[in-house]
Amino acid sequence: MDAATVKQLDDAMERINTTLAHAWMVRNFLKHAEEIQDDAEMLAVPRMIFDYVRALEKSYQSKDYKDFFARAQGKLSKLRRVSETLTREQPRVSSHTNFLMAARSLAACVRAIDTVLQSVRPLLYPAAHSAPPDHEPGSKPQA
């Protein structure tokens, strides 16, 4: 990998890690919120945030880009699912601004992570994102 690609991947890894700091604060708020302590569906939200962050921690520390981004992508659907649960259930749980902002914040984190992951795919898997020189996308290969 050339130095420019390494720099881009490192920057992307830092963007995700910073975004996870925001998600961690949502987790902390929800973990201690009395309103959800007897609600198994809502308790799954802080647990999943914890699992997501911890799943990326070792590869972040070792700067293992492929593992970090593969794990981030692999668990993103679960993080997205609990974010959608929080957004859907928030009005039922509490109308307090803290819960509304927690739902918005986690949804923004998921969108930000997804955006970063889309941006690194061509860097990690360049062959999958380019057509052979004699083949334009949407045209038939020449025989």
Side-chain angles (χ1 to χ4, degrees), residues 7-73:
K7 172 83 170 104
Q8 287 178 294
L9 292 172
D10 197 54
D11 289 348
M13 188 183 270
E14 289 302 323
R15 284 194 309 274
I16 288 178
N17 204 49
T18 299
T19 300
L20 292 179
H22 294 279
W24 193 261
M25 297 311 295
V26 172
R27 173 202 173 266
N28 197 45
F29 165 70
L30 293 173
K31 180 181 173 198
H32 298 288
E34 290 182 26
E35 294 87 340
I36 71 165
Q37 295 309 309
D38 296 324
D39 188 331
E41 186 177 32
M42 291 300 293
L43 285 171
V45 178
R47 277 192 220 109
M48 183 58 227
I49 296 169
F50 177 88
D51 290 348
Y52 192 89
V53 171
R54 292 303 304 255
L56 301 179
E57 193 170 42
K58 186 176 180 184
S59 55
Y60 173 78
Q61 291 169 345
S62 65
K63 298 295 184 193
D64 183 339
Y65 302 116
K66 285 198 177 194
D67 187 57
F68 179 88
F69 293 116
R71 287 174 182 270
Q73 184 65 57

Side-chain angles (χ1 to χ4, degrees), residues 94-106:
S94 175
S95 62
H96 194 283
T97 303
N98 288 347
F99 281 90
L100 176 61
M101 292 296 125
R104 288 181 181 172
S105 183
L106 187 55

